[in-house]
């Protein structure tokens, strides 16, 4: 059983990154791409369905997840689940931005952006159906917006929009950031297991701290985070954050 107190020193470089990207209580957003930049050229025919906007929002969400973990750690509130779930959210967010910034050519990058917008509007339509929400006069539903995106994709010769699968997105973003896709995917799987309340991650990636008798021939184990197992996830997250930040800025400057 583990008797070692949580150290967390391996988190300091990642937390320092988060701290540098925060000022006056807000996260510093990624800038609007210059009109002559590579990214703006990608986005020019996409109208409101720009990749840059998706990347900016995903980046901001990732920083919020990361900073929430930093603040939780500073408060001394380390449980065996939240460090995994918060890093899972950040990893997915940063990987999404990288996936949108990369692609073999401009057509593929535009197709990725429209595919993600198409799925985004599907989820919006589902929420509208669940809540009975109706748009204001002159507004459009998520379903109608989704149809607009599909029509735009067809007009650009980019049909067959499909919802990006998280595993595929991670597998394609990881090598772009210089990471091994299989190792990255494995860390993400464990984090996802915690997020969904599964049993198996506790066996593979946590350490027992104590055992308590909870009934006849039955015991309850107190589990703590295994830092050796959690460390790779934070390193992958930091690598993706640095790559996303650098890649976005390089593709946003005037060409």
């Amino acid at each position: 059983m583990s008797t070692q107190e949580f150290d967390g020193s391996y988190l300091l470089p990642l937390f320092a990154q988060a701290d540098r990207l925060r000022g006056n209580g807000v996260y510093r957003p990624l800038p609007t791409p210059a009109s002559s930049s590579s990214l703006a050229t990608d986005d020019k025919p996409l109208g409101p369905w720009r990749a840059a906007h998706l990347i900016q929002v995903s980046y901001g969400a990732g920083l919020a997840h990361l900073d929430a973990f930093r603040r939780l750690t500073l408060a001394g509130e380390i449980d065996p689940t939240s460090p995994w779930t918060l890093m899972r959210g950040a990893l997915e967010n940063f990987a999404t931005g990288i996936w949108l910034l990369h692609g073999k050519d401009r057509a593929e990058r535009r197709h990725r952006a429209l595919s993600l917008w198409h799925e985004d509007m599907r989820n919006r339509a589902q929420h509208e159906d669940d809540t009975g929400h109706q748009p204001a006069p002159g507004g459009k539903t998520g379903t109608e917006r989704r149809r607009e995106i599909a029509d735009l994709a067809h007009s650009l010769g980019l049909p067959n929009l499909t919802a990006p699968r998280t595993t595929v997105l991670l597998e394609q973003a990881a090598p772009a950031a210089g990471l091994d896709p299989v190792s990255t995917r494995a860390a993400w799987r464990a984090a996802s297991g915690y997020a969904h309340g599964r049993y198996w991650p506790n066996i593979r990636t946590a350490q027992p701290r104590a055992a308590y008798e909870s009934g006849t021939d039955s015991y309850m184990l107190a589990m703590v985070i295994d830092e050796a197992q959690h460390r790779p996830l934070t390193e992958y997250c930091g690598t993706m954050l640095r790559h996303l930040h650098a890649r976005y800025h390089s593709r946003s400057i005037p060409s």
Side-chain angles (χ1 to χ4, degrees), residues 5-226:
E5 293 297 326
F6 181 77
D7 177 15
S9 57
Y10 68 95
L11 297 171
L12 295 179
L14 187 61
F15 289 168
Q17 281 182 267
D19 198 44
R20 286 193 297 270
L21 297 170
R22 174 181 171 143
N24 299 320
V26 298
Y27 307 116
R28 296 178 184 138
L30 292 173
T32 300
S35 58
S36 63
S37 67
S38 170
L39 183 52
T41 303
D42 276 3
D43 284 347
K44 190 172 182 179
L46 303 185
W49 314 113
R50 305 183 312 276
H53 183 66
L54 289 172
I55 298 164
Q56 290 164 341
V57 172
S58 195
Y59 170 82
L63 284 184
H65 282 114
L66 174 53
D67 197 48
F69 182 31
R70 181 184 69 86
R71 288 182 278 114
L72 192 68
T73 304
L74 289 175
E77 296 288 342
I78 295 297
D79 60 80
T81 301
S82 299
W84 288 95
T85 59
L86 289 168
M87 287 297 91
R88 170 194 185 242
L91 186 72
E92 289 184 9
N93 294 146
F94 299 147
T96 298
I98 292 170
W99 181 75
L100 289 166
L101 284 165
H102 286 269
K104 67 177 182 291
D105 54 30
R106 189 151 278 149
E108 183 174 74
R109 293 193 295 272
R110 288 171 177 166
H111 190 270
R112 288 182 177 185
L114 292 177
S115 292
L116 190 54
W117 274 116
H118 196 245
E119 176 64 6
D120 189 80
M121 290 300 110
R122 184 181 75 87
N123 297 149
R124 170 181 156 179
Q126 290 173 321
H127 184 265
E128 290 170 344
D129 290 342
D130 290 342
T131 60
H133 174 81
Q134 294 294 323
K140 295 186 177 182
T141 66
T143 298
E144 290 170 324
R145 293 298 189 190
R146 196 165 186 250
R147 193 174 302 120
E148 284 184 3
I149 296 166
D151 290 343
L152 174 61
H154 188 268
S155 72
L156 295 173
L158 303 170
N160 304 319
L161 300 180
T162 56
R165 292 176 54 199
T166 304
T167 51
V168 174
L169 189 152
L170 283 167
E171 290 162 359
Q172 294 179 344
L179 296 172
D180 175 62
V182 176
S183 299
T184 304
R185 186 180 62 204
W188 170 82
R189 286 194 197 282
S192 295
Y194 282 103
H196 294 292
R198 301 293 191 258
Y199 176 75
W200 74 265
N202 292 284
I203 301 299
R204 293 289 294 112
T205 64
Q207 294 187 34
R209 171 63 60 83
Y212 306 93
E213 189 171 358
S214 59
T216 305
D217 297 327
S218 135
Y219 292 86
M220 179 179 294
L221 290 177
M223 307 297 289
V224 296
I225 186 171
D226 184 340

